[in-house]
Amino acid sequence: SHTYPPPPPPMGSSSKPPASTPTSPPALTVPTIYLILYNLLACLAWVRVLAVCLPLLLASPTFDTLATLGSLEGMTLTLSQAQFPAMLEIVHAALGLVRSPLFVTSMQVGSRIAAMMGYLGSPLARSHWGCGLMIVSWSLVEVPRYLFYVFALITGDATKKTPYPLFWLRYSLFAILYPTGITGELTVFINAARDPQFLNLFGENYQSLLYYFIMAFPVIYAPGALPMILNMAANRKSAFKKRFAKPPPPPRGLVFPVDEKGLRSSTNPGKDIMASAVGSVNGGIAKQIWNEKKWRFKYVKYFMNMVEEQCSSPQAALDVAAAGLKRAHEVFEFVSPDGSSVSLKEAMAASNTDKFETGFIKGEGGAGRAETSFSVPYKGRNLSGEELKSQVKKWVAYGTIEPSAGEAICKCVDHPEWLAKMRQKYFVLLGAGSAMGPFQVLLSLGANIIAIDLDRPNIWKRLIETTKRSTGSITFPLKKIIQTNTSSVDELANAAGCNLFTETPLIRDWLMQLYPDKSFVVGSYAYLNGAAHVQVSLAMDAICQDLSEKRKGTALAYLCTPTDLHLVPKEAWEDSQKNYWDYSKRIYCSLLNFLSRGKYLRKNARKPISGQGGDYYLVNGLSVAQGPNYALAKRMQHWRAITARSKNCIVSSNIAPATSTAS
C-alpha cells in the first residue's frame, strides 16, 4: 500500500456548524515582516521624491517647471534610491514571496530601469518636461501603492480591510497617471535616442546598439499601453465588486469543506481528491501533490501523471477512479438548513421524509410530426440520406470527426427505424436547460424526457412551452401538488424544478421511484463556472452512482470536453503529430510560440505510454487558464464512466467539439 500526507484536520466531516471566517489579523511570519518593511521603505523613498517635486509644481504648475524637475540638485540620487530597489520585486516573484507572475513583474520593472538609464545618461532627456511628468506620475502612483501593500500585509485582506481612501487611490489613480507616466517615459526614450552623450555611454562602437535598445521601448509601448490600462480597469471593477459584495448566504447543501482558516477553499479538497486517486497506485506522486505550493498553475503536470499511471493496467485505471470518487464523496460536506453538516456520502445514505411531487406534459405536436429520418444541420440546411453520408465522408477524410463517429452517423442514416424507437426511451437530463444538452433534439424525436433543472420560472417556462410544441413528453419534479392538465404554463413554471446542490438526496429518491418498469439513460449536462462546477459535477455523480448501481437497466451519458487529457487512437495521434510539424514551420506560428515563451501553439501529443496491452497514445488538451476545478469536475465524469462500465453499465462518453455558449 502507498501512503501520503493526510489532509488538514478541518477537511474531515463534522456534525457541528461550519466555522466562521476569522476576523483576527494573520500571524506575522518572517517573510511577511520583511515584505512590510520593504514596502514601507519603498513608500518613504517615493515620498522623498514627491516632497521635492510637489511644492515646485504647486507654486508654478507649468511645463517649464516640469522641465526643471529632472535636473534638480540631488534628484538623480533621490530617484535612483526610490526606483532601483524595485529590482528586488523580481526576486520576490521568483522566490514565491508574492503571487505576481515573474514574467510580468520583470517586464514592468525592466521598462522602469530602461527609463532610468535614459534619464541618468541623457542630459537632453532630463531637461525635457516629459521627464518631470514621468517623475511626478511615478511618485503619485507608488506612494499609495506601497502603502496599500503595507496595510494589506498587516490585515491579511487587500480587498476589504485596507483603508478605503487608500483602496480607492490604489485602484483609481491609474486612469490619469498611467497615461501621463507612459507619455513621460516615451519622451525620455526618444530624447535619449537623440542625445549623443547617451549614445556614447559605452563608446562609439555601441552607438547603434544603444539606439536600437532604447528605441525598442516605444515600439513595445505602442501596442502594450492600451491593454495594460484596460487590464487595470478590469482589476478595478473586480476589486470594487469584491469590496462591496454582500456577505454570502449561509452554506446549504453540497459545499466544499472548511479549511484551517475557516474558509471553504477549493484548493485543498482538490489536492486531497487527486492525491487519494493517484495515491492508490503511486504514493510518491500523491506526496508531490500535497507538497505543491502553486497548485493553480502546476496542476496539469499531476493530472498527466495520474492518467499515465492509469495506463499501466486496467486494474490501475479502476483503482485510481474508485479512490478519487470515494474521497470526493467523503471530503465534501452536505449542510442542512440548521447549519449542521455531514459528508456527502452520509447525506446520500440517510433516509428522507421530504419528497417531490411529479409533473407531466405531453407534447401536442402529434406522432406524425416526429422526425422520421436522421438529419444534421449544416450551413443553414438539414442534411439527410445520401447527401449526409457524403458529407460525413468528407468530414472523416479531412479529420473533422473520427472514423468511428462517421460510422455511427451513417448507421443512423441507414436505420431510420431506430428513430421510431426513441419514443419508447426515457432520458434523465441533469441540467435539462443546458445549451449543450440534447433536450430539443430528443423532443423532436418524440422521446420521453425526465428534466432536472433549477427552480427558476424562466427556465421551466421555456422547457414546458418547447415540449408542448413537440412530439415528446417531459416529466419533472414539483415543489407542491398541482394539476398539470389544468394549470397554466406560468403556474407550472413557478412550482417546477429543484436544486442539485441543496436537494441532491431528494432528487435521487424521486428518480429511484419514478417509472419503476422503465430503463433510464441519465445524462450529466449541468455546468457552472469556477469551483461551483466541481460541486454540481459531484452532485450529479452522487445521483448517477445510485441510479446505475441500484436501478436496473440504467445507462449513463457524458459530454466530455476537448480541453482535457484523452487517450486517442494511434492514427489520431499520428495526425496530431503531422499537423503540429506542418504548422510549426510557418513563420507566424513560430513567432507566436516564441513571443509567448512557449505558452501558445504547444505540442499536445505526448510520447506513447507503455502499459498492459501495448502502447497508449495521450493528447493533452488541458488549458492552464481553465484551472484545476474545471479539470477535476470533468475528471470525475471520466472516473464514474469507467467504474460504472466495469460493473456492466452501458456508458456513453463522447467528446464534444469546442463550443461557445452563453455561459
Side-chain angles (χ1 to χ4, degrees):
S1 63
H2 301 281
T3 60
Y4 57 91
M11 291 185 62
S13 299
S14 169
S15 59
K16 299 179 181 179
S20 59
T21 303
T23 57
S24 57
L28 294 180
T29 61
V30 173
T32 302
I33 293 172
Y34 162 74
L35 289 173
I36 290 173
L37 291 175
Y38 167 79
N39 285 288
L40 187 58
L41 291 173
C43 177
L44 293 174
W46 284 105
V47 167
R48 287 180 61 205
V49 177
L50 205 55
V52 174
C53 298
L54 271 188
L56 296 174
L57 273 177
L58 292 174
S60 177
T62 65
F63 283 101
D64 289 339
T65 304
L66 284 173
T68 65
L69 297 181
S71 303
L72 290 173
E73 184 178 355
M75 178 56 75
T76 54
L77 178 61
T78 304
L79 190 60
S80 296
Q81 290 173 342
Q83 182 55 56
F84 281 116
M87 289 189 289
L88 285 172
E89 294 174 23
I90 300 175
V91 179
H92 298 165
L95 295 178
L97 294 178
V98 295
R99 292 188 298 173
S100 302
L102 177 60
F103 178 72
V104 174
T105 303
S106 301
M107 290 291 290
Q108 291 173 338
V109 175
S111 65
R112 287 280 192 95
I113 299 304
M116 286 296 294
M117 284 182 59
Y119 164 74
L120 294 172
S122 171
L124 183 62
R126 284 199 300 272
S127 61
H128 193 274
W129 60 264
C131 180
L133 184 65
M134 175 188 77
I135 294 171
V136 173
S137 298
W138 285 2
S139 304
L140 290 173
V141 163
E142 300 296 37
V143 169
R145 182 172 77 94
Y146 283 117
L147 194 57
F148 173 84
Y149 290 154
V150 170
F151 278 96
L153 288 163
I154 292 173
T155 63
D157 187 345
T159 303
K160 292 183 178 293
K161 295 183 180 180
T162 49
Y164 180 71
L166 202 57
F167 176 86
W168 189 90
L169 290 172
R170 169 71 181 95
Y171 287 105
S172 302
L173 287 178
F174 78 92
I176 296 174
L177 298 180
Y178 270 32
T180 58
I182 290 170
T183 301
E185 290 172 39
L186 288 174
T187 66
V188 170
F189 293 138
I190 294 170
N191 282 306
R194 295 168 51 226
D195 191 342
Q197 185 170 329
F198 174 79
L199 297 177
N200 284 285
L201 278 177
F202 303 111
E204 294 183 0
N205 294 334
Y206 295 95
Q207 281 189 0
S208 296
L209 181 62
L210 269 179
Y211 175 82
Y212 287 115
F213 167 76
I214 206 69
M215 284 303 294
F217 288 90
V219 174
I220 296 171
Y221 275 37
L226 183 59
M228 182 176 66
I229 293 172
L230 293 176
N231 180 63
M232 277 300 299
N235 290 343
R236 182 183 192 276
K237 181 179 180 181
S238 175
F240 273 78
K241 182 178 180 181
K242 290 178 181 178
R243 184 166 183 116
F244 296 107
K246 294 180 180 179
R252 276 286 313 278
L254 182 59
V255 294
F256 284 91
V258 178
D259 64 16
E260 64 274 13
K261 296 180 181 179
L263 304 175
R264 296 189 182 275
S265 167
S266 63
T267 299
N268 273 346
K271 293 172 72 173
D272 188 2
I273 293 167
M274 284 292 295
S276 297
V278 75
S280 65
V281 294
N282 189 321
I285 298 175
K287 186 176 180 179
Q288 291 175 24
I289 290 174
W290 274 117
N291 292 335
E292 179 57 67
K293 296 181 179 180
K294 296 183 178 179
W295 179 248
R296 171 62 182 83
F297 299 101
K298 298 292 183 69
Y299 71 92
V300 173
K301 166 188 172 182
Y302 302 104
F303 275 81
M304 287 195 293
N305 291 156
M306 180 190 64
V307 173
E308 289 167 356
E309 289 293 331
Q310 287 185 283
C311 290
S312 62
S313 70
Q315 190 58 50
L318 288 171
D319 287 346
V320 168
L325 290 172
K326 179 176 181 291
R327 189 58 184 159
H329 286 244
E330 292 172 345
V331 164
F332 273 77
E333 296 178 356
F334 198 87
V335 181
S336 301
D338 64 2
S340 63
S341 65
V342 296
S343 69
L344 174 63
K345 179 181 178 181
E346 292 171 313
M348 296 302 291
S351 58
N352 304 289
T353 55
D354 295 337
K355 66 176 183 178
F356 289 111
E357 301 299 332
T358 301
F360 176 80
I361 297 291
K362 176 65 179 174
E364 300 168 358
R369 293 179 57 185
E371 296 285 348
T372 57
S373 63
F374 188 77
S375 64
V376 174
Y378 182 62
K379 292 186 176 180
R381 299 177 56 224
N382 282 330
L383 303 184
S384 60
E386 292 302 318
E387 186 180 20
L388 174 56
K389 292 172 68 174
S390 176
Q391 183 60 55
V392 166
K393 292 176 181 177
K394 293 178 183 177
W395 286 334
V396 171
Y398 184 74
T400 304
I401 58 176
E402 288 298 298
S404 58
E407 292 171 7
I409 295 172
C410 290
K411 283 183 179 179
C412 289
V413 173
D414 294 336
H415 294 275
E417 69 276 9
W418 289 354
L419 300 184
K421 294 181 180 180
M422 294 295 286
R423 290 191 284 275
Q424 304 165 18
K425 299 290 184 181
Y426 287 76
F427 296 87
V428 179
L429 305 188
L430 304 177
S434 168
M436 285 292 289
F439 180 77
Q440 296 196 46
V441 173
L442 291 174
L443 282 181
S444 70
L445 297 172
N448 303 289
I449 293 177
I450 300 165
I452 303 294
D453 215 315
L454 285 170
D455 46 353
R456 295 179 182 172
N458 61 313
I459 293 176
W460 286 98
K461 186 175 181 179
R462 174 171 60 86
L463 296 179
I464 292 170
E465 288 178 343
T466 303
T467 302
K468 283 180 172 290
R469 295 191 298 268
S470 76
T471 59
S473 72
I474 182 174
T475 304
F476 50 95
L478 289 169
K479 299 286 187 183
K480 59 183 180 180
I481 297 176
I482 187 171
Q483 295 298 321
T484 56
N485 293 331
T486 58
S487 299
S488 68
V489 171
D490 287 337
E491 289 173 327
L492 289 172
N494 287 328
C498 52
N499 192 310
L500 281 166
F501 280 18
T502 61
E503 298 170 316
T504 319
L506 301 183
I507 296 170
R508 184 274 319 273
D509 292 347
W510 180 71
L511 290 171
M512 286 294 294
Q513 57 81 35
L514 190 67
Y515 303 131
D517 59 332
K518 304 296 182 182
S519 296
F520 286 172
V521 178
V522 185
S524 298
Y525 303 112
Y527 170 82
L528 290 170
N529 286 324
H533 193 199
V534 180
Q535 292 169 263
V536 75
S537 290
L538 187 56
M540 293 189 293
D541 181 73
I543 294 168
C544 288
Q545 173 181 267
D546 283 356
L547 290 179
S548 63
E549 294 179 359
K550 300 176 182 178
R551 182 173 175 128
K552 186 178 179 181
T554 297
L556 303 181
Y558 296 102
L559 202 56
C560 302
T561 174
T563 53
D564 201 345
L565 288 157
H566 293 291
L567 295 182
V568 298
K570 182 180 180 181
E571 294 77 13
W573 181 84
E574 289 174 340
D575 273 354
S576 175
Q577 294 273 66
K578 179 179 179 297
N579 289 336
Y580 175 80
W581 290 117
D582 287 347
Y583 276 88
S584 64
K585 296 174 185 176
R586 303 183 185 187
I587 295 176
Y588 65 88
C589 291
S590 301
L591 184 63
L592 184 59
N593 180 265
F594 174 77
L595 292 176
S596 67
R597 299 186 305 146
K599 182 179 179 181
Y600 300 135
L601 300 182
R602 290 181 298 179
K603 185 178 181 181
N604 63 10
R606 309 288 295 175
K607 291 182 179 179
I609 306 165
S610 295
Q612 186 177 327
D615 288 341
Y616 297 93
Y617 299 89
L618 176 66
V619 167
N620 173 23
L622 282 173
S623 172
V624 175
Q626 288 181 304
N629 289 323
Y630 183 83
L632 179 60
K634 301 307 291 186
R635 184 54 43 181
M636 288 194 295
Q637 295 183 352
H638 290 301
W639 288 342
R640 180 58 61 194
I642 64 175
T643 55
R645 188 71 191 100
S646 72
K647 299 174 183 178
N648 297 317
C649 176
I650 295 174
V651 178
S652 168
S653 185
N654 293 313
I655 302 172
T659 308
S660 175
T661 62
S663 61

